[in-house]
Amino acid sequence: LSEHKTFLSAIELKGEALALESSNKRADYLNQIVDSRILDAEQTFELGELLYTQKNYQGAVNAFKQVLRKQPKNYQAQFLMAGSLYAMEDYAESSDNFWQLARKNFKKDITSYYCADSALRNKDPVRAISCYEMVPPGNYFYTARTRLAHLLHEQGNWRYAMQSLQQAQQMVSL
């Protein structure tokens, strides 16, 4: 494979051929390739992306873990792994990974938002509050501030909830 980078395309084509017979056969085949560890980090990442798009989240997690062992600063691999963990409802692990990424400012809007969402689903309101507070102005900001206010209100901290909404209002010029 190191000599024939296009061989990964052959793996994908065989996977598609097996999918004609059964999607489970394709998944098993692609998982075997990941488990064999014959691919380099770039190829494993590409296979992980393929598994992710096919909603084979466990296979994607396995692939991205291999990538991260070789390339610990591959934040895109960690991001897709966190998304896979979230899809598998492993909210503790997804929250941890989204938290790490948000603290590194990697796609901070989405990583901090899903850090909070995962934390809430994992019944960890302290982390959820911290993550919602990290969401920068942008696509997720207003929703994050609204959820933060509700969470704070549920915990009896209505004054901080109101302050949070007022700050959000000022920041988005409503």
Side-chain angles (χ1 to χ4, degrees):
L1 282 171
S2 61
E3 295 173 19
H4 304 287
K5 298 287 183 187
T6 57
F7 194 62
L8 191 57
S9 296
I11 291 171
E12 291 177 39
L13 284 174
K14 182 173 180 180
E16 291 305 313
L18 289 169
L20 294 174
E21 189 176 332
S22 158
S23 60
N24 287 340
K25 284 192 176 193
R26 171 179 56 193
D28 290 344
Y29 170 70
L30 295 176
N31 288 333
Q32 285 174 2
I33 297 294
V34 170
D35 292 342
S36 72
R37 300 178 190 266
I38 59 174
L39 304 175
D40 64 25
E42 182 181 320
Q43 293 165 329
T44 304
F45 177 83
E46 289 178 29
L47 191 53
E49 283 184 312
L50 177 64
L51 291 162
Y52 180 85
T53 60
Q54 293 175 351
K55 299 183 182 190
N56 181 341
Y57 297 119
Q58 186 58 61
V61 167
N62 294 341
F64 295 132
K65 280 183 178 180
Q66 282 185 33
V67 171
L68 290 167
R69 274 189 222 106
K70 296 174 185 174
Q71 299 173 342
K73 292 185 179 182
N74 188 329
Y75 300 140
Q76 184 64 23
Q78 188 176 5
F79 176 73
L80 292 172
M81 183 175 77
S84 297
L85 291 163
Y86 182 89
M88 293 167 39
E89 300 180 5
D90 186 345
Y91 299 121
E93 284 294 314
S94 67
S95 179
D96 287 346
N97 280 278
F98 283 130
W99 169 260
Q100 291 169 17
L101 292 165
R103 294 192 39 103
K104 293 172 185 161
N105 292 318
F106 183 81
K107 298 183 180 186
K108 190 166 188 166
D109 57 343
I110 193 168
T111 56
S112 54
Y113 181 82
Y114 276 97
C115 171
D117 188 70
S118 297
L120 273 182
R121 292 171 188 262
N122 193 46
K123 300 184 182 355
D124 185 353
V126 173
R127 175 170 280 179
I129 289 169
S130 181
C131 292
Y132 278 140
E133 289 176 333
M134 286 194 297
V135 176
N139 293 335
Y140 296 90
F141 183 73
Y142 184 73
T143 303
R145 285 297 166 154
T146 302
R147 289 184 176 186
L148 174 61
H150 286 286
L151 182 57
L152 291 167
H153 180 72
E154 287 171 9
Q155 294 191 331
N157 197 342
W158 62 270
R159 181 170 283 146
Y160 186 51
M162 289 301 296
Q163 286 175 346
S164 177
L165 285 177
Q166 287 169 345
Q167 288 173 348
Q169 231 176 1
Q170 291 169 355
M171 291 179 85
V172 295
S173 302
L174 293 176

PDB file of all heavy atoms in Angstrom, residues 31-48:
ATOM      1  N   ASN A  31     -13.740  -3.097   8.341  1.00  0.00           N
ATOM      2  CA  ASN A  31     -13.244  -3.212   9.721  1.00  0.00           C
ATOM      3  C   ASN A  31     -12.015  -4.115   9.789  1.00  0.00           C
ATOM      4  O   ASN A  31     -11.090  -3.854  10.561  1.00  0.00           O
ATOM      5  CB  ASN A  31     -14.340  -3.718  10.655  1.00  0.00           C
ATOM      6  CG  ASN A  31     -15.402  -2.669  10.917  1.00  0.00           C
ATOM      7  OD1 ASN A  31     -15.145  -1.471  10.854  1.00  0.00           O
ATOM      8  ND2 ASN A  31     -16.610  -3.117  11.201  1.00  0.00           N
ATOM      9  N   GLN A  32     -12.007  -5.178   8.982  1.00  0.00           N
ATOM     10  CA  GLN A  32     -10.838  -6.077   8.944  1.00  0.00           C
ATOM     11  C   GLN A  32      -9.608  -5.337   8.427  1.00  0.00           C
ATOM     12  O   GLN A  32      -8.498  -5.544   8.936  1.00  0.00           O
ATOM     13  CB  GLN A  32     -11.119  -7.288   8.060  1.00  0.00           C
ATOM     14  CG  GLN A  32     -12.036  -8.307   8.673  1.00  0.00           C
ATOM     15  CD  GLN A  32     -12.406  -9.423   7.688  1.00  0.00           C
ATOM     16  OE1 GLN A  32     -11.943  -9.436   6.553  1.00  0.00           O
ATOM     17  NE2 GLN A  32     -13.238 -10.349   8.147  1.00  0.00           N
ATOM     18  N   ILE A  33      -9.813  -4.489   7.434  1.00  0.00           N
ATOM     19  CA  ILE A  33      -8.689  -3.707   6.893  1.00  0.00           C
ATOM     20  C   ILE A  33      -8.129  -2.793   7.983  1.00  0.00           C
ATOM     21  O   ILE A  33      -6.917  -2.713   8.189  1.00  0.00           O
ATOM     22  CB  ILE A  33      -9.117  -2.881   5.656  1.00  0.00           C
ATOM     23  CG1 ILE A  33      -9.548  -3.792   4.506  1.00  0.00           C
ATOM     24  CG2 ILE A  33      -8.003  -1.924   5.222  1.00  0.00           C
ATOM     25  CD1 ILE A  33      -8.442  -4.647   3.923  1.00  0.00           C
ATOM     26  N   VAL A  34      -9.021  -2.105   8.701  1.00  0.00           N
ATOM     27  CA  VAL A  34      -8.568  -1.227   9.798  1.00  0.00           C
ATOM     28  C   VAL A  34      -7.825  -2.048  10.839  1.00  0.00           C
ATOM     29  O   VAL A  34      -6.724  -1.677  11.269  1.00  0.00           O
ATOM     30  CB  VAL A  34      -9.758  -0.472  10.442  1.00  0.00           C
ATOM     31  CG1 VAL A  34      -9.331   0.226  11.723  1.00  0.00           C
ATOM     32  CG2 VAL A  34     -10.356   0.527   9.466  1.00  0.00           C
ATOM     33  N   ASP A  35      -8.403  -3.175  11.243  1.00  0.00           N
ATOM     34  CA  ASP A  35      -7.798  -4.009  12.291  1.00  0.00           C
ATOM     35  C   ASP A  35      -6.456  -4.605  11.877  1.00  0.00           C
ATOM     36  O   ASP A  35      -5.610  -4.881  12.729  1.00  0.00           O
ATOM     37  CB  ASP A  35      -8.758  -5.127  12.706  1.00  0.00           C
ATOM     38  CG  ASP A  35      -9.995  -4.604  13.420  1.00  0.00           C
ATOM     39  OD1 ASP A  35      -9.974  -3.440  13.894  1.00  0.00           O
ATOM     40  OD2 ASP A  35     -10.988  -5.349  13.495  1.00  0.00           O
ATOM     41  N   SER A  36      -6.250  -4.790  10.582  1.00  0.00           N
ATOM     42  CA  SER A  36      -4.996  -5.385  10.108  1.00  0.00           C
ATOM     43  C   SER A  36      -3.809  -4.443  10.261  1.00  0.00           C
ATOM     44  O   SER A  36      -2.662  -4.889  10.246  1.00  0.00           O
ATOM     45  CB  SER A  36      -5.128  -5.808   8.640  1.00  0.00           C
ATOM     46  OG  SER A  36      -5.154  -4.650   7.803  1.00  0.00           O
ATOM     47  N   ARG A  37      -4.075  -3.146  10.382  1.00  0.00           N
ATOM     48  CA  ARG A  37      -3.041  -2.129  10.563  1.00  0.00           C
ATOM     49  C   ARG A  37      -2.020  -2.105   9.433  1.00  0.00           C
ATOM     50  O   ARG A  37      -0.836  -1.826   9.651  1.00  0.00           O
ATOM     51  CB  ARG A  37      -2.350  -2.289  11.911  1.00  0.00           C
ATOM     52  CG  ARG A  37      -3.283  -2.176  13.088  1.00  0.00           C
ATOM     53  CD  ARG A  37      -2.564  -2.387  14.408  1.00  0.00           C
ATOM     54  NE  ARG A  37      -3.493  -2.504  15.503  1.00  0.00           N
ATOM     55  CZ  ARG A  37      -3.891  -1.499  16.274  1.00  0.00           C
ATOM     56  NH1 ARG A  37      -3.446  -0.295  16.049  1.00  0.00           N
ATOM     57  NH2 ARG A  37      -4.755  -1.699  17.252  1.00  0.00           N
ATOM     58  N   ILE A  38      -2.457  -2.407   8.221  1.00  0.00           N
ATOM     59  CA  ILE A  38      -1.542  -2.396   7.081  1.00  0.00           C
ATOM     60  C   ILE A  38      -1.484  -1.040   6.391  1.00  0.00           C
ATOM     61  O   ILE A  38      -0.635  -0.812   5.554  1.00  0.00           O
ATOM     62  CB  ILE A  38      -1.921  -3.483   6.039  1.00  0.00           C
ATOM     63  CG1 ILE A  38      -3.338  -3.268   5.516  1.00  0.00           C
ATOM     64  CG2 ILE A  38      -1.725  -4.874   6.612  1.00  0.00           C
ATOM     65  CD1 ILE A  38      -3.735  -4.197   4.380  1.00  0.00           C
ATOM     66  N   LEU A  39      -2.385  -0.133   6.777  1.00  0.00           N
ATOM     67  CA  LEU A  39      -2.429   1.179   6.144  1.00  0.00           C
ATOM     68  C   LEU A  39      -1.580   2.178   6.930  1.00  0.00           C
ATOM     69  O   LEU A  39      -1.408   2.051   8.136  1.00  0.00           O
ATOM     70  CB  LEU A  39      -3.876   1.684   6.099  1.00  0.00           C
ATOM     71  CG  LEU A  39      -4.904   0.777   5.422  1.00  0.00           C
ATOM     72  CD1 LEU A  39      -6.306   1.363   5.564  1.00  0.00           C
ATOM     73  CD2 LEU A  39      -4.564   0.571   3.952  1.00  0.00           C
ATOM     74  N   ASP A  40      -1.066   3.190   6.217  1.00  0.00           N
ATOM     75  CA  ASP A  40      -0.379   4.259   6.934  1.00  0.00           C
ATOM     76  C   ASP A  40      -1.429   5.199   7.525  1.00  0.00           C
ATOM     77  O   ASP A  40      -2.630   5.009   7.328  1.00  0.00           O
ATOM     78  CB  ASP A  40       0.623   4.986   6.026  1.00  0.00           C
ATOM     79  CG  ASP A  40      -0.015   5.722   4.851  1.00  0.00           C
ATOM     80  OD1 ASP A  40      -1.211   6.110   4.935  1.00  0.00           O
ATOM     81  OD2 ASP A  40       0.682   5.954   3.851  1.00  0.00           O
ATOM     82  N   ALA A  41      -0.996   6.218   8.251  1.00  0.00           N
ATOM     83  CA  ALA A  41      -1.920   7.107   8.966  1.00  0.00           C
ATOM     84  C   ALA A  41      -2.869   7.829   8.008  1.00  0.00           C
ATOM     85  O   ALA A  41      -4.069   7.945   8.283  1.00  0.00           O
ATOM     86  CB  ALA A  41      -1.145   8.114   9.809  1.00  0.00           C
ATOM     87  N   GLU A  42      -2.347   8.302   6.884  1.00  0.00           N
ATOM     88  CA  GLU A  42      -3.192   9.013   5.913  1.00  0.00           C
ATOM     89  C   GLU A  42      -4.266   8.089   5.334  1.00  0.00           C
ATOM     90  O   GLU A  42      -5.438   8.467   5.222  1.00  0.00           O
ATOM     91  CB  GLU A  42      -2.313   9.585   4.797  1.00  0.00           C
ATOM     92  CG  GLU A  42      -3.089  10.378   3.761  1.00  0.00           C
ATOM     93  CD  GLU A  42      -2.178  10.908   2.657  1.00  0.00           C
ATOM     94  OE1 GLU A  42      -1.053  11.360   2.965  1.00  0.00           O
ATOM     95  OE2 GLU A  42      -2.603  10.861   1.492  1.00  0.00           O
ATOM     96  N   GLN A  43      -3.869   6.886   4.969  1.00  0.00           N
ATOM     97  CA  GLN A  43      -4.819   5.925   4.420  1.00  0.00           C
ATOM     98  C   GLN A  43      -5.846   5.506   5.473  1.00  0.00           C
ATOM     99  O   GLN A  43      -7.036   5.371   5.175  1.00  0.00           O
ATOM    100  CB  GLN A  43      -4.075   4.701   3.891  1.00  0.00           C
ATOM    101  CG  GLN A  43      -3.207   4.997   2.688  1.00  0.00           C
ATOM    102  CD  GLN A  43      -2.214   3.884   2.402  1.00  0.00           C
ATOM    103  OE1 GLN A  43      -1.745   3.191   3.303  1.00  0.00           O
ATOM    104  NE2 GLN A  43      -1.886   3.721   1.135  1.00  0.00           N
ATOM    105  N   THR A  44      -5.387   5.311   6.702  1.00  0.00           N
ATOM    106  CA  THR A  44      -6.302   4.944   7.781  1.00  0.00           C
ATOM    107  C   THR A  44      -7.298   6.065   8.032  1.00  0.00           C
ATOM    108  O   THR A  44      -8.484   5.815   8.263  1.00  0.00           O
ATOM    109  CB  THR A  44      -5.519   4.613   9.072  1.00  0.00           C
ATOM    110  OG1 THR A  44      -4.583   3.572   8.777  1.00  0.00           O
ATOM    111  CG2 THR A  44      -6.441   4.157  10.191  1.00  0.00           C
ATOM    112  N   PHE A  45      -6.829   7.319   7.955  1.00  0.00           N
ATOM    113  CA  PHE A  45      -7.726   8.460   8.119  1.00  0.00           C
ATOM    114  C   PHE A  45      -8.797   8.446   7.025  1.00  0.00           C
ATOM    115  O   PHE A  45      -9.983   8.628   7.313  1.00  0.00           O
ATOM    116  CB  PHE A  45      -6.941   9.780   8.080  1.00  0.00           C
ATOM    117  CG  PHE A  45      -7.826  10.985   8.177  1.00  0.00           C
ATOM    118  CD1 PHE A  45      -8.263  11.440   9.413  1.00  0.00           C
ATOM    119  CD2 PHE A  45      -8.238  11.654   7.043  1.00  0.00           C
ATOM    120  CE1 PHE A  45      -9.098  12.541   9.516  1.00  0.00           C
ATOM    121  CE2 PHE A  45      -9.071  12.756   7.127  1.00  0.00           C
ATOM    122  CZ  PHE A  45      -9.504  13.199   8.371  1.00  0.00           C
ATOM    123  N   GLU A  46      -8.372   8.237   5.781  1.00  0.00           N
ATOM    124  CA  GLU A  46      -9.334   8.198   4.670  1.00  0.00           C
ATOM    125  C   GLU A  46     -10.347   7.064   4.849  1.00  0.00           C
ATOM    126  O   GLU A  46     -11.531   7.247   4.590  1.00  0.00           O
ATOM    127  CB  GLU A  46      -8.597   8.053   3.334  1.00  0.00           C
ATOM    128  CG  GLU A  46      -7.856   9.299   2.920  1.00  0.00           C
ATOM    129  CD  GLU A  46      -7.090   9.123   1.620  1.00  0.00           C
ATOM    130  OE1 GLU A  46      -7.515   8.303   0.775  1.00  0.00           O
ATOM    131  OE2 GLU A  46      -6.067   9.802   1.450  1.00  0.00           O
ATOM    132  N   LEU A  47      -9.879   5.922   5.297  1.00  0.00           N
ATOM    133  CA  LEU A  47     -10.783   4.803   5.536  1.00  0.00           C
ATOM    134  C   LEU A  47     -11.723   5.132   6.706  1.00  0.00           C
ATOM    135  O   LEU A  47     -12.911   4.811   6.675  1.00  0.00           O
ATOM    136  CB  LEU A  47     -10.002   3.521   5.811  1.00  0.00           C
ATOM    137  CG  LEU A  47     -10.799   2.226   5.819  1.00  0.00           C
ATOM    138  CD1 LEU A  47     -11.626   2.055   4.552  1.00  0.00           C
ATOM    139  CD2 LEU A  47      -9.870   1.037   5.985  1.00  0.00           C
ATOM    140  N   GLY A  48     -11.200   5.808   7.721  1.00  0.00           N
ATOM    141  CA  GLY A  48     -12.034   6.257   8.832  1.00  0.00           C
ATOM    142  C   GLY A  48     -13.132   7.200   8.361  1.00  0.00           C
ATOM    143  O   GLY A  48     -14.286   7.092   8.796  1.00  0.00           O
TER     144      GLY A  48
END
